[in-house]
Amino acid sequence: MLFLLWCVFYPIQVKVTMSACGQDYTLVLGEKGEVYSFGDNEYGQLGAGIEPGVDPPRAREDEVAICKVLTDIVAVKVVTGAYHSILINETGVSASWGRGDGGQLGHGDTLHLGSPRPIEFFSSADSVRDIACGDAHSVILTDSGRIYSCGVRLGVTGEEYPDLLEYQPIPQARVGSSFKQVQLNTVVLSAIKQVSSGSNFAAALTESKKVVTWGHNTNGQLGHRDTNNRSKPTILESLSDKAVEALYCGGNHMACTVLHSWVPDREANHCMLCNVGFTMVRRRHHCRKCGGIYCGNCTSEKFPLLDL
């Protein structure tokens, strides 16, 4: 996808490979590994070397300035939290910038950063494989399969649960400025391949295509059919019969993509297209193309499943 961006005072053409959105700003990753940003800079989250709280210069008052993130790292992925960001390159080198008063940048301090600083916690012997950011925490997956987290202690770091995430100020007792390893439950027997994070919870996907979640669960976002918080990664039994390919966390919700399979009868009391309930007369039909369950009027690619 080709975009024409105006970078501060001059136009540039960028072939975009991915984008990431924070609370009031956006990052765009170009095909050559360059990162561009635009939006609010209250905490230095634009990463352009501009002091936190200072707006970038504009060519005209009615234009939004597009800034280039100041880093020598050729990025392959960028992620955003509410007001902070992390990028990684193909060899697992990572850097973070933006809001840091919760310790979410992982540099052992609580400073805001206006440009990316390499995260020195991770060595070349165990480099970064995947990254995720929440409102005021960060989750890192290394090549060895270990998960680390830093930032405000929201259960995501395996510690206590504050009632709410407070943006200003963040109480010092709730700040974790260096990375701590997240201890995986012994039932998680397979290696971790992906991590994702919402506002104040996190999730991980194993090589065996199972999901574990932990953190705040006020809205049922952990997927355990309850609203109880989890301080440790817990296997998601509700997806135990699914082969999960990828997972995605929003602010207070989570979604997964699963391998194609027949939808079990117990999961469909209504037609998946017209939403009319099934009865003894209005029977279920499995679609041969997608595996979904529909009424006889909603699909021609079907065969009936008889109740024996």
Side-chain angles (χ1 to χ4, degrees):
M1 186 177 296
L2 187 66
F3 283 86
L4 183 64
L5 302 180
W6 271 260
C7 187
V8 184
F9 295 120
Y10 55 93
I12 54 174
Q13 284 191 333
V14 178
K15 189 172 183 180
V16 175
T17 59
M18 73 171 296
S19 61
C21 299
Q23 186 72 21
D24 297 307
Y25 72 106
T26 301
L27 299 182
V28 172
L29 176 62
E31 65 173 342
K32 297 180 180 179
E34 72 277 28
V35 182
Y36 299 91
S37 61
F38 45 95
D40 183 60
N41 193 52
E42 181 177 0
Y43 301 101
Q45 61 264 43
L46 294 184
I50 305 169
E51 287 294 318
V54 177
D55 291 330
R58 303 179 182 182
R60 296 197 307 264
E61 282 298 318
D62 59 345
E63 285 187 353
V64 175
I66 307 297
C67 302
K68 187 171 184 179
V69 174
L70 298 180
T71 178
D72 295 329
I73 298 175
V74 179
V76 295
K77 183 176 183 178
V78 291
V79 296
T80 56
Y83 301 104
H84 74 290
S85 302
I86 303 179
L87 60 81
I88 57 173
N89 70 1
E90 60 183 8
T91 63
V93 176
S94 58
S96 61
W97 69 98
R99 184 171 185 176
D101 57 350
Q104 60 265 51
L105 300 184
H107 299 298
D109 55 39
T110 55
L111 302 175
H112 305 324
L113 293 178
S115 57
R117 178 193 297 175
I119 300 175
E120 298 178 355
F121 183 88
F122 301 100
S123 66
S124 58
D126 193 14
S127 56
V128 175
R129 178 178 178 181
D130 198 13
I131 50 179
C133 293
D135 276 359
H137 69 270
S138 301
V139 180
I140 301 287
L141 171 66
T142 66
D143 281 338
S144 65
R146 295 185 176 93
I147 300 176
Y148 294 85
S149 63
C150 66
V152 175
R153 300 185 179 110
L154 297 163
V156 177
T157 55
E159 300 178 64
E160 72 270 13
Y161 303 113
D163 292 331
L164 295 171
L165 175 62
E166 299 174 8
Y167 282 110
Q168 294 185 359
I170 295 176
Q172 191 65 28
R174 287 164 48 185
V175 170
S177 58
S178 59
F179 282 95
K180 296 178 175 65
Q181 185 174 350
V182 177
Q183 298 300 320
L184 297 175
N185 193 300
T186 54
V187 299
V188 185
L189 300 177
S190 179
I192 303 297
K193 61 181 291 187
Q194 181 198 350
V195 290
S196 186
S197 190
S199 292
N200 49 15
F201 72 101
L205 178 63
T206 71
E207 293 285 358
S208 59
K209 304 185 185 301
K210 303 305 177 185
V211 177
V212 293
T213 59
W214 67 103
H216 269 211
N217 194 33
T218 308
N219 298 287
Q221 59 264 47
L222 298 186
H224 298 291
R225 296 193 175 100
D226 59 39
T227 55
N228 300 324
N229 298 330
R230 303 293 197 285
S231 63
K232 302 294 182 184
T234 305
I235 197 79
L236 195 56
E237 297 294 344
S238 59
L239 293 177
S240 60
D241 60 343
K242 301 287 192 300
V244 180
E245 282 289 283
L247 52 87
Y248 315 90
C249 293
N252 290 299
H253 67 279
M254 181 175 66
C256 301
T257 56
V258 299
L259 289 178
H260 180 277
S261 62
W262 294 107
V263 176
D265 283 6
R266 66 179 181 276
E267 294 185 8
N269 294 321
H270 299 78
C271 173
M272 295 173 66
L273 185 61
C274 69
N275 205 36
V276 175
F278 296 118
T279 66
M280 291 295 294
V281 177
R282 190 182 185 86
R283 305 176 77 85
R284 295 174 174 84
H285 292 75
H286 273 265
C287 177
R288 291 172 177 169
K289 284 187 175 180
C290 70
I293 299 179
Y294 303 91
C295 66
N297 295 330
C298 289
T299 178
S300 59
E301 302 288 338
K302 82 265 184 180
F303 62 88
L305 295 180
L306 301 178
D307 293 328
L308 301 178

